[in-house]
Amino acid sequence: NILTDDLELATDEEKKANEERAESFKDTLTFMKDTLGEKVKEVRVSGDLGTHAVTMVPDGGMSFEMEKYMHTVDPSSDYHCGRILEVNPEHPLLQRLSENRESDPERAKKLAELLYDQGLLMANLPLEDPTAYTDLVCELIG
């Protein structure tokens, strides 16, 4: 899948820079994965997000569109692509989460949940609880 597979188009310098960012952000990635639990298979750094904080990509060869199709064909199916949350450690929201990880872990957990929901929205996937999402947004910006 060209949208999700690593096509190895990055130069060696870009790959090295991405690995260094991932290593320096490792504790935050672990914190986010622990917070999100089974909702995501992995949380990892991406160098391809531009100004976006996160994106959600499927694990394996099947796309989210195929997952939606499978549910349309057989609504009782519980088939789900594994979800991988890719993050941009340069984004101010990720930097705030990283800072809050030690100083205010409850707020950091809420930011991780918010970013997960944003990843779902960007992937055109349904939110598990839209009301909780809107409450969380209001709480965090209030």
Side-chain angles (χ1 to χ4, degrees):
N1 183 342
I2 194 165
L3 297 174
T4 60
D5 288 343
D6 183 2
L7 301 178
E8 298 186 23
L9 299 176
T11 65
D12 288 340
E13 293 84 21
E14 291 169 332
K15 288 178 187 177
K16 184 177 180 185
N18 202 36
E19 288 172 10
E20 289 171 359
R21 274 196 310 267
E23 183 61 32
S24 68
F25 213 63
K26 184 172 73 170
D27 291 341
T28 300
L29 297 174
T30 301
F31 176 86
M32 292 180 74
K33 171 60 178 129
D34 291 346
T35 298
L36 298 173
E38 296 299 315
K39 292 180 183 180
V40 293
K41 181 175 181 189
E42 180 183 357
V43 179
R44 66 183 178 208
V45 168
S46 174
D48 301 328
L49 295 178
T51 60
H52 297 287
V54 297
T55 192
M56 188 75 68
V57 296
D59 179 43
M62 194 168 285
S63 70
F64 291 134
E65 291 305 315
M66 183 57 86
E67 176 183 307
K68 291 176 198 174
Y69 174 77
M70 298 293 277
H71 287 285
T72 301
V73 171
D74 181 7
S76 66
S77 152
D78 69 347
Y79 178 81
H80 293 284
C81 297
R83 284 148 169 63
I84 297 173
L85 184 64
E86 292 189 344
V87 302
N88 176 1
E90 310 293 321
H91 193 277
L93 193 52
L94 269 295
Q95 292 174 359
R96 189 170 308 128
L97 186 151
S98 187
E99 293 164 5
N100 281 213
R101 193 171 40 86
E102 302 254 345
S103 63
D104 189 353
E106 287 307 310
R107 183 172 179 81
K109 287 178 183 178
K110 290 176 183 179
L111 289 170
E113 291 287 343
L114 177 76
L115 289 166
Y116 169 77
D117 285 344
Q118 286 182 344
L120 289 176
L121 289 171
M122 290 183 71
N124 200 24
L125 294 167
L127 293 175
E128 294 163 12
D129 186 347
T131 302
Y133 171 75
T134 58
D135 291 343
L136 185 58
V137 169
C138 291
E139 178 184 343
L140 290 172
I141 64 173

